[in-house]
Amino acid sequence: MTTLAEPDLGNGRNKPIFNNTTGFSTLITVTVLLLAWLAGFASRLFAVIRFESIIHEFDPWFNYRSTAYMVQHGFYNFLNWFDERAWYPLGRIVGGTVYPGLMITSGSIHWLLHALNIPIHIRDICVFLAPVFSGLTAISTYLLTAELWSRGAGLFAACFIAIVPGYSSRSVAGSYDNEGIAIFALQLTYFLWLRSLKTGSVFWSICTAISYFYMVSAWGGYVFIINLIPLHVFALLIMGRFSQRLFVSYSVFYIVGLLLSMQIPFVGFQPIRTSEHMAASGVFALLMAVGALQYLHSLNPKGQWKKLLIVGGLMAAGLVFLMVVFLTYIGVIAPWSGRFYSLWDTAYAKIHIPIIASVSEHQPTTWSSFFFDLHVLVCTFPVGLWYCVKNINDERVFVTLYALSAVYFAGVMVRLMLTLTPVVCVLSGIAFSILLDLLLRDDDLPTAPVEPNDKNLYDKAGKVKKRAPEPTSQADFGLGMNVRSGALIAFMILLMLFSVHCTWATSNAYSSPSIVLASYGNDGSRKILDDFREAYGWLSQNTAEDARIMSWWDYGYQIAGMGNRTTLVDNNTWNNSHIALVGKAMASNETAAYDIMTMLDVDYVLVIFGGAIGYSGDDINKFIWMVRIAEGEHPKDIHEADYFTEKGEYRVDSEASKTMLNCLMYKLSYYRYDSGGSPPGYDRTRGALPGNRGFKLTYLEEAYTTEHWLVRIYRLFEMFITSVPTDSVVYDFLTVLAKRIENFMMIAAGCGSRLS
Amino acid sequence: MMPAMAQLQFCVLFLVYVATQCTSTNVDTVSSGINIKNVDRTIDISSQLVKITSKVTLENTGKSPVKNFLLAVEGTGKAKLAFIGTKDGNNKDLRNVETDVKGNDDAKFWRVDLKESINAGSTASVVVETVYTKALQPYPTSITQQEEQLVKYLGNLYFYSPYPVSSQKTNVILNTKAVETFTKVKPFLQLDGSISYGPYSNTAAFTEKELVVHYKNNSPFLTVTRLERLIEVSHWGNIAIEETIEVEHTGAKLKGPFSRYDYQQDHHSGPASVRSYKTLLPASASDVYYRDTNGNISTSNMRVKKDSVELDLRPRYPLFGGWRSHYTLGYNVPSYEYLYYSGNEYLLKMRAVDHVFDDMQIDELITKVILPEGTTNIKANFPFAVTRLPDSLHYTYLDTKGRPVITFTKTNIVENHIQDFQLRYSFPRILMLQEPLLVVGFLYTLFLCVIIYVRLDFSIHKSEHPHKD
């Protein structure tokens, strides 16, 4: 961090060598950005160093699998890919239900490297993609902040974003997810938007639209951009800051961006058909109206146009709003989706969509997690915000809106912390830059950063030599030497603590691959628990190629990615009724579950059981969500209350309810579980002795259990041939067949109704 | 990819190679002047392989000196035969060549050339070693987790030979007392871990009599179904070896459930399963990695010994009958131990296949040797008959025209096949400079471009630097 102070300090000293300051500050900028890239990259490698180069968690496995598919089969086959290994028996049209930006990015890197005969495996590209992009994010944040305030602030912001835990939580090596590249695209789009707004040039607007296109291809969070930029335009209109530059940049961006975004198969016609996107078109219409009125005004500046302008503008706004409401009412425009709606009403998901509420990262953010993810920045960013509001201009209106909306969204959902982090870094960068400006300015140094107005034609870097506007007033000059150095040291310590915290948080909280667990012995020795891969490896080698595995949806992507087997449900939770059916099977007793499982053609059932090693994220702990989701679709058969004790406790020991003790999930978790310390069969996760023990399974048999009991796989017995009179075999076969077909129709109808 | 000329040249070479392969099968006749005086045979069926060592005393009953003699393998065993080796009384290897005998199409013959011919009336002793794979049949074919594995050996009670045998003894080594049934032809004797038959006198040529032993055999029945061995030679001092291995437990299949509880509580549970095995690597092996498509397999140990590096490999899961596993094992060895040169001529001497586990059997071996870019005049010399596949090109870091790849394959491999092959090739040493120069040149151009770009102004018109605010 100390390097940042050098442009001001070092100028005089190094004058003999660097006789132009622009060259020197370019060098400093490039060096700092490179170092930020390096630091950001390095601090994300904990998982690779501690474990190995491996894809983490759940969603990244799907991304990796589809990237590998694309690399192997080509881009067009990827777009047309129908994945029959997922959502059995429905399958999934991957090309049309995925944001392909991530796969295309790593696919092109792979292609480029292989064209240069650099044989890097696609897995390693996927693993290291997010850390590499963190450097690009730092650079785009630098550009954005430099556009807003000054280059010094930009360097601060770049350094912050490179290591801040709120961003590295989603971009450590191996966390191959959309967010890794999306934040880069987000920052770049905002930078380009501000640049285009400033210059009013069509070129920059088109650049913004292209960057927006990349963002759309990469992450569903593009909706944030397409609402924030119109909001910015709208705010500017209200503030009376309409200009030709605004008119040109927004109309070009909106039209080109709209057309480009509709090229993504997954997005399709959504930008003109859904409420999430209506703000953008509404503002566009409004801008057109205001532009027309302005034009009329310019024809006759002396007329009574001012009033007309205001009234006409308001009327246009009202008209556009009513139009949207009307179109939504008659059904041309889809209303807000549940996910979007849950942003406004935090209790909405809990009541209506348990599947969204069941995901831990969709919970509201706690204060501690704000501090954990942003540390000192959470305190300094209001300072930057205040300075931006104080010295307002068109761009700073934008960053203010960005900050306010992002703070709201981050408060609603832990996951959206990610959108807050960049703006916090930008504003904190501004705050620190102002502070250092204040503290480091020598009273008696008139020669300090005076731009030599060199007209050196050969120096390209000279184009960007403009300095930040001095935001401080004359009153600041009264600070004494001691106060200055004291404050300086205090802030340096703060920054140091910040970087220590960032490294610590990234290393301890966000660098666990979660498919490989490590436990530490008393002597500090490390023991690796590799049960997940053990089980998936077993599945991939020792089951039939087309075997269908039933598990809770969390493990769907991993089974497909590592086990290479067909799953019923996975992390792409598009079909709630199908998930509810699996939940119902898990929550029913063995006989009822067997009917559901045969209906779904299940061959194996996989459950995660952490009782032997005390792993708390196992299926029994998630089970209550399975019950809730199942109850949502099958309220007649499943009742949440049945799974609690009479006092309303969730237990597994002998106090537990009968339904609980006899449901499939319980039985599969505790079947023949008699080991694990004393007393035998003790469940370490829940600290209880299971209530139902020594039972036998009728319809399933244990196929495999991993070394630490973490993953248990059961095989379904073949169709039970019940005592059927021989003469009615044919008839019986037909009825079974008819029942099968009926079941398929039911499932298909279920998914159809979901889709529409 | 390949230049047309080279392709043509290769095709011609290949045709010549195939032609020589075809003509090498000889036709012999059984000499009536040879009699086998005594055979002392040991059949070792304690592992998954059948290893038969026969000490044969040949007698020349004819008039003229005998320079060579024939070995025969019965028609039932010839498909399972993996290796046949012959040594003379001084433990020196004798050359054997596959041959045909008119009128005996069923059996398979080898002609063994003796170092010194046997004069009329005198004798010579020869040791014949044969190894059969998949000759032990699990019986029953599937067992539960707790059951012992029983296998059946079907062999020939007599030494199968084109010559009459005066006297013979056979000792079957089982290493177990648990024998269900075995062929009882007197005289025989069942000892602790073995059964001995004989001596039987005067058996005629080509005599076959079924020998069946049904016994407990819990030794690992592991088959490497496919092994791809990749040897990448670098003239910078390193040879990288990577083996992609598919393993299958080919013993009695697991019937019914697998119980982790039983497997954990009772160490005698799953007696036929394979928890781990040892792989021996060359003593100079370093940077060993052991992984599969899902990443590192963390359950392995490495011990560096004096003459080898011993790896204790544990598959991700224990292997029961019918279960499969696959992994990749790679390591580096310094090239000075395997690569010899004089001037621009190089000789690579490496093992065609290396140790995977004791008493291994490999169904299919594919060895690929990647030589440095610019290598020409490649001549290969193999210790046993292999099928050489068409050469190809491999592109890796900083390659421009690709590295030649020599590929050969062989089926049914056992430990006795761990032998060196030789590759002679020429490589102009000046080409070593190609890659560093490429890097230097690239960086030079890059910096040059940056310098030109920074120093010159390419803009069409001078921008005004419009200041904000």
Side-chain angles (χ1 to χ4, degrees):
Chain A
M1 293 296 159
T2 44
T3 25
L4 287 183
E6 269 177 51
D8 297 323
L9 288 176
N11 269 345
R13 207 170 49 230
N14 289 316
K15 213 141 198 176
I17 307 167
F18 299 98
N19 45 12
N20 78 45
T21 46
T22 45
F24 186 66
S25 69
T26 306
L27 180 67
I28 288 284
T29 310
V30 169
T31 315
V32 170
L33 287 180
L34 275 181
L35 284 176
W37 192 331
L38 199 69
F41 183 78
S43 77
R44 283 165 170 79
L45 298 186
F46 282 108
V48 171
I49 291 163
R50 274 195 210 130
F51 295 93
E52 59 189 278
S53 166
I54 192 179
I55 306 289
H56 292 186
E57 296 196 311
F58 306 103
D59 288 17
W61 272 101
F62 169 76
N63 297 330
Y64 169 58
R65 181 163 161 254
S66 24
T67 311
Y69 185 91
M70 189 181 85
V71 166
Q72 203 188 338
H73 296 96
F75 177 65
Y76 288 103
N77 285 322
F78 167 68
L79 279 187
N80 291 325
W81 182 23
F82 179 79
D83 182 10
E84 70 275 12
R85 287 255 150 117
W87 293 95
Y88 183 85
L90 311 169
R92 175 183 175 189
I93 307 153
V94 175
T97 56
V98 83
Y99 290 104
L102 186 68
M103 294 96 196
I104 291 170
T105 308
S106 24
S108 348
I109 294 174
H110 183 262
W111 175 82
L112 184 76
L113 290 179
H114 277 248
L116 295 171
N117 287 335
I118 301 176
I120 290 182
H121 195 275
I122 184 70
R123 179 188 52 237
D124 293 318
I125 292 171
C126 293
V127 165
F128 292 104
L129 187 76
V132 167
F133 263 75
S134 74
L136 293 176
T137 310
I139 289 171
S140 56
T141 305
Y142 161 76
L143 294 172
L144 175 65
T145 319
E147 204 65 31
L148 279 168
W149 201 268
S150 69
R151 298 174 74 192
L155 291 182
F156 262 117
C159 292
F160 289 149
I161 191 102
I163 57 169
V164 69
Y167 174 46
S168 68
S169 65
R170 293 263 156 192
S171 59
V172 293
S175 157
Y176 178 57
D177 216 340
N178 295 332
E179 290 93 326
I181 61 167
I183 296 301
F184 158 68
L186 185 83
Q187 293 290 84
L188 189 67
T189 312
Y190 287 157
F191 156 67
L192 290 169
W193 163 246
L194 293 189
R195 177 56 69 85
S196 73
L197 179 65
K198 228 176 193 178
T199 55
S201 97
V202 175
F203 170 73
W204 288 111
S205 301
I206 290 191
C207 284
T208 317
I210 289 170
S211 171
Y212 171 66
F213 173 56
Y214 183 61
M215 175 73 185
V216 176
S217 77
W219 194 34
Y222 76 89
V223 177
F224 184 46
I225 297 184
I226 205 59
N227 281 301
L228 186 60
I229 288 180
L231 184 67
H232 180 212
V233 176
F234 188 64
L236 289 180
L237 287 183
I238 287 185
M239 291 166 78
R241 285 174 174 267
F242 176 85
S243 64
Q244 286 304 315
R245 289 180 283 116
L246 179 68
F247 186 78
V248 169
S249 54
Y250 184 70
S251 21
V252 171
F253 159 73
Y254 176 69
I255 295 299
V256 179
L258 181 78
L259 290 177
L260 284 176
S261 69
M262 285 164 70
Q263 306 311 308
I264 304 295
F266 189 30
V267 176
F269 281 98
Q270 277 181 43
I272 51 170
R273 296 293 299 265
T274 58
S275 294
E276 284 92 334
H277 300 80
M278 277 309 118
S281 34
V283 167
F284 178 67
L286 188 65
L287 193 69
M288 287 298 138
V290 173
L293 292 170
Q294 277 278 354
Y295 177 68
L296 291 178
H297 179 56
S298 68
L299 289 181
N300 186 3
K302 285 173 190 156
Q304 294 294 314
W305 294 106
K306 186 94 177 170
K307 205 174 265 174
L308 183 68
L309 194 67
I310 293 165
V311 173
L314 282 176
M315 273 175 60
L319 200 70
V320 166
F321 182 73
L322 286 175
M323 192 76 158
V324 169
V325 169
F326 176 70
L327 284 177
T328 313
Y329 181 72
I330 63 165
V332 175
I333 299 169
W336 280 337
S337 65
R339 264 164 221 254
F340 201 72
Y341 201 72
S342 64
L343 285 178
W344 309 111
D345 181 3
T346 43
Y348 179 85
K350 214 163 250 166
I351 302 160
H352 296 96
I353 328 167
I355 201 152
I356 291 180
S358 73
V359 180
S360 62
E361 57 186 26
H362 291 163
Q363 305 302 320
T365 318
T366 55
W367 281 112
S368 60
S369 109
F370 270 104
F371 184 75
F372 188 81
D373 276 356
L374 301 170
H375 196 248
V376 66
L377 305 187
V378 84
C379 311
T380 52
F381 103 93
V383 180
L385 187 61
W386 185 77
Y387 272 102
C388 279
V389 174
K390 201 179 156 201
N391 303 288
I392 201 87
N393 61 16
D394 287 1
E395 304 96 75
R396 289 173 195 162
V397 172
F398 176 78
V399 80
T400 312
L401 291 170
Y402 183 7
L404 293 177
S405 53
V407 165
Y408 174 75
F409 290 131
V412 173
M413 242 187 221
V414 181
R415 192 181 177 180
L416 294 178
M417 200 67 194
L418 194 66
T419 52
L420 174 67
T421 308
V423 71
V424 164
C425 291
V426 168
L427 291 174
S428 295
I430 292 172
F432 271 96
S433 162
I434 291 164
L435 262 162
L436 284 198
D437 259 356
L438 203 70
L439 298 174
L440 290 176
R441 189 188 297 112
D442 284 330
D443 291 333
D444 49 1
L445 199 69
T447 54
V450 178
E451 294 114 77
N453 195 11
D454 59 339
K455 296 198 162 35
N456 191 349
L457 277 172
Y458 300 102
D459 205 327
K460 195 109 178 141
K463 284 181 185 170
V464 275
K465 63 176 177 277
K466 61 177 181 289
R467 282 274 142 182
E470 297 296 313
T472 50
S473 59
Q474 290 294 317
D476 296 327
F477 279 87
L479 289 176
M481 196 63 196
N482 288 336
V483 177
R484 273 182 196 195
S485 41
L488 195 65
I489 289 166
F491 276 101
M492 284 303 147
I493 289 173
L494 262 187
L495 287 178
M496 229 149 70
L497 287 178
F498 170 72
S499 57
V500 169
H501 170 84
C502 288
T503 317
W504 176 82
T506 309
S507 144
N508 285 308
Y510 298 130
S511 290
S512 162
S514 91
I515 58 163
V516 191
L517 309 170
S519 70
Y520 293 88
N522 291 330
D523 53 346
S525 63
R526 192 175 68 150
K527 200 170 168 239
I528 284 186
L529 308 178
D530 212 352
D531 285 38
F532 286 109
R533 286 191 291 178
E534 180 183 345
Y536 299 138
W538 186 85
L539 275 180
S540 73
Q541 294 292 315
N542 299 313
T543 57
E545 187 75 9
D546 59 347
R548 292 158 292 265
I549 322 289
M550 183 172 96
S551 73
W552 190 235
W553 61 263
D554 294 20
Y555 312 103
Y557 279 165
Q558 290 186 350
I559 293 171
M562 281 184 272
N564 198 14
R565 288 294 175 268
T566 309
T567 56
L568 298 185
V569 291
D570 63 29
N571 310 48
N572 175 265
T573 52
W574 64 276
N575 187 340
N576 195 43
S577 62
H578 212 51
I579 291 177
L581 211 52
V582 171
K584 188 184 171 193
M586 294 291 193
S588 311
N589 63 40
E590 216 188 319
T591 321
Y594 185 74
D595 286 341
I596 299 173
M597 291 190 291
T598 46
M599 181 182 105
L600 290 169
D601 268 352
V602 173
D603 294 314
Y604 293 88
V605 186
L606 180 145
V607 296
I608 308 292
F609 172 65
I613 52 164
Y615 175 75
S616 60
D618 69 350
D619 275 348
I620 290 279
N621 279 359
K622 288 174 184 169
F623 182 54
I624 208 63
W625 286 108
M626 302 181 203
V627 174
R628 275 179 200 154
I629 291 167
E631 190 184 5
E633 297 276 332
H634 308 276
K636 276 187 205 156
D637 305 312
I638 306 288
H639 305 286
E640 192 184 334
D642 292 348
Y643 296 85
F644 290 101
T645 60
E646 290 184 357
K647 288 179 196 161
E649 291 169 303
Y650 182 66
R651 312 179 65 141
V652 293
D653 57 9
S654 47
E655 304 281 306
S657 70
K658 219 174 171 83
T659 321
M660 178 74 197
L661 293 180
N662 286 300
C663 68
L664 185 71
M665 175 53 75
Y666 185 94
K667 283 195 163 178
L668 297 189
S669 291
Y670 293 108
Y671 176 67
R672 294 207 72 190
Y673 172 63
D674 289 313
S675 62
S678 58
Y682 184 76
D683 182 337
R684 288 203 208 167
T685 305
R686 284 152 288 270
L689 204 59
N692 183 3
R693 295 172 64 199
F695 52 83
K696 288 205 161 49
L697 294 172
T698 326
Y699 301 99
L700 300 113
E701 65 175 1
E702 187 176 356
Y704 190 70
T705 297
T706 57
E707 198 181 347
H708 304 99
W709 294 77
L710 198 54
V711 187
R712 309 200 67 182
I713 302 169
Y714 292 84
R715 190 187 298 118
L716 245 73
F717 284 129
E718 292 300 310
M719 271 284 222
F720 269 34
I721 314 244
T722 41
S723 52
V724 181
T726 41
D727 53 327
S728 69
V729 161
V730 176
Y731 166 76
D732 213 71
F733 171 74
L734 284 175
T735 45
V736 167
L737 194 71
K739 200 179 168 192
R740 274 287 166 87
I741 292 167
E742 195 185 330
N743 287 335
F744 275 109
M745 299 296 278
M746 257 172 59
I747 297 163
C751 85
S753 68
R754 283 280 135 192
L755 275 176
S756 56
Chain B
M1 295 256 192
M2 231 192 288
M5 194 59 205
Q7 213 159 15
L8 196 70
Q9 194 182 3
F10 166 76
C11 283
V12 170
L13 279 176
F14 191 69
L15 280 178
V16 170
Y17 174 75
V18 169
T20 48
Q21 280 291 91
C22 291
T23 50
S24 69
T25 40
N26 318 318
V27 178
D28 276 82
T29 47
V30 179
S31 155
S32 58
I34 298 176
N35 182 34
I36 295 178
K37 207 175 164 192
N38 186 36
V39 176
D40 208 343
R41 200 157 61 120
T42 310
I43 303 177
D44 183 351
I45 49 175
S46 59
S47 69
Q48 62 172 339
L49 302 175
V50 176
K51 291 183 253 183
I52 304 177
T53 316
S54 318
K55 276 184 202 143
V56 182
T57 311
L58 292 165
E59 188 181 26
N60 187 355
T61 52
K63 304 253 165 59
S64 54
V66 171
K67 270 191 168 171
N68 54 48
F69 69 101
L70 294 176
L71 285 176
V73 166
E74 17 332 34
T76 50
K78 67 181 178 190
K80 294 166 184 169
L81 181 80
F83 176 79
I84 183 162
T86 39
K87 284 173 180 169
D88 66 4
N90 304 324
N91 213 13
K92 291 263 170 59
D93 278 331
L94 294 175
R95 210 169 80 89
N96 56 52
V97 183
E98 210 176 316
T99 181
D100 276 338
V101 173
K102 281 272 162 63
N104 280 294
D105 297 331
D106 199 27
K108 208 173 179 184
F109 292 89
W110 279 264
R111 191 186 64 226
V112 182
D113 299 319
L114 292 162
K115 287 243 162 74
E116 292 159 21
S117 50
I118 315 171
N119 292 324
S122 61
T123 60
S125 72
V126 178
V127 178
V128 182
E129 204 185 346
T130 47
V131 181
Y132 297 85
T133 57
K134 298 187 175 163
L136 300 176
Q137 297 300 322
Y139 192 83
T141 50
S142 55
I143 53 173
T144 63
Q145 185 180 345
Q146 306 293 0
E147 279 174 337
E148 310 267 7
Q149 179 169 270
L150 299 173
V151 300
K152 223 180 204 176
Y153 170 64
L154 279 137
N156 189 355
L157 185 64
Y158 302 118
F159 179 66
Y160 190 76
S161 163
Y163 312 109
V165 182
S166 307
S167 163
Q168 60 178 297
K169 275 198 292 188
T170 298
N171 190 23
V172 183
I173 297 173
L174 310 167
N175 272 348
T176 174
K177 268 196 279 186
V179 182
E180 302 279 302
T181 55
F182 63 97
T183 305
K184 289 166 183 168
V185 176
K186 280 177 184 170
F188 68 89
L189 180 66
Q190 188 186 7
L191 293 166
D192 235 10
S194 66
I195 305 166
S196 63
Y197 291 95
Y200 304 116
S201 50
N202 295 331
T203 38
F206 300 117
T207 315
E208 273 186 87
K209 186 169 173 59
E210 194 177 57
L211 166 71
V212 181
V213 187
H214 187 204
Y215 65 107
K216 182 184 93 175
N217 187 344
N218 277 331
S219 66
F221 269 58
L222 275 188
T223 306
V224 177
T225 46
R226 189 171 191 275
L227 191 154
E228 195 175 318
R229 185 171 155 90
L230 190 75
I231 301 169
E232 194 172 351
V233 181
S234 159
H235 281 178
W236 294 95
N238 186 58
I239 297 176
I241 297 164
E242 185 175 276
E243 292 179 338
T244 310
I245 299 171
E246 284 168 24
V247 191
E248 185 177 347
H249 190 299
T250 42
K253 293 210 175 354
L254 178 71
K255 184 170 71 183
F258 162 79
S259 166
R260 173 60 69 177
Y261 177 70
D262 292 335
Y263 200 65
Q264 225 161 33
Q265 289 310 104
D266 182 5
H267 278 277
H268 301 292
S269 177
S273 70
V274 181
R275 287 170 201 252
S276 70
Y277 48 82
K278 286 192 171 65
T279 297
L280 299 178
L281 303 181
S284 53
S286 58
D287 313 325
V288 183
Y289 57 89
Y290 171 45
R291 54 184 306 154
D292 64 7
T293 46
N294 290 341
N296 206 21
I297 306 173
S298 43
T299 45
S300 59
N301 285 309
M302 188 170 103
R303 255 183 306 264
V304 180
K305 293 188 161 177
K306 254 185 194 161
D307 55 346
S308 65
V309 172
E310 186 186 286
L311 290 180
D312 186 13
L313 300 183
R314 255 180 73 192
R316 287 196 189 275
Y317 38 86
L319 292 170
F320 280 87
W323 288 14
R324 289 178 298 153
S325 171
H326 81 106
Y327 63 91
T328 303
L329 182 70
Y331 53 93
N332 291 332
V333 287
S335 64
Y336 64 81
E337 291 188 2
Y338 303 95
L339 191 63
Y340 309 91
Y341 68 93
S342 105
N344 286 340
E345 296 303 309
Y346 285 79
L347 169 67
L348 177 75
K349 218 171 141 186
M350 288 210 85
R351 284 175 173 180
V353 59
D354 212 335
H355 181 270
V356 181
F357 43 81
D358 289 343
D359 299 317
M360 65 180 185
Q361 54 183 41
I362 301 172
D363 284 352
E364 187 188 7
L365 165 82
I366 298 168
T367 303
K368 289 183 178 173
V369 188
I370 302 173
L371 296 171
E373 202 179 38
T375 301
T376 47
N377 295 329
I378 304 162
K379 288 186 201 80
N381 186 11
F382 302 106
F384 37 78
V386 298
T387 315
R388 189 159 158 196
L389 300 176
D391 291 359
S392 55
L393 287 175
H394 176 81
Y395 293 90
T396 179
Y397 303 101
L398 302 172
D399 282 350
T400 47
K401 53 183 196 286
R403 307 179 176 211
V405 184
I406 312 296
T407 314
F408 57 91
T409 164
K410 175 163 171 53
T411 54
N412 212 356
I413 295 240
V414 290
E415 262 172 271
N416 306 59
H417 288 110
I418 302 179
Q419 294 172 29
D420 286 343
F421 70 90
Q422 294 181 346
L423 272 186
R424 281 167 202 282
Y425 60 88
S426 36
F427 175 81
R429 306 196 76 189
I430 194 80
L431 280 181
M432 298 270 284
L433 288 175
Q434 184 190 338
E435 293 179 0
L437 284 179
L438 210 63
V439 177
V440 169
F442 173 75
L443 289 179
Y444 183 77
T445 325
L446 184 76
F447 287 134
L448 206 66
C449 290
V450 170
I451 288 170
I452 290 170
Y453 177 74
V454 169
R455 295 283 152 182
L456 299 179
D457 192 350
F458 290 101
S459 56
I460 298 168
H461 73 102
K462 206 174 140 14
S463 80
E464 302 285 316
H465 302 310
H467 275 273
K468 56 185 175 180
D469 298 359

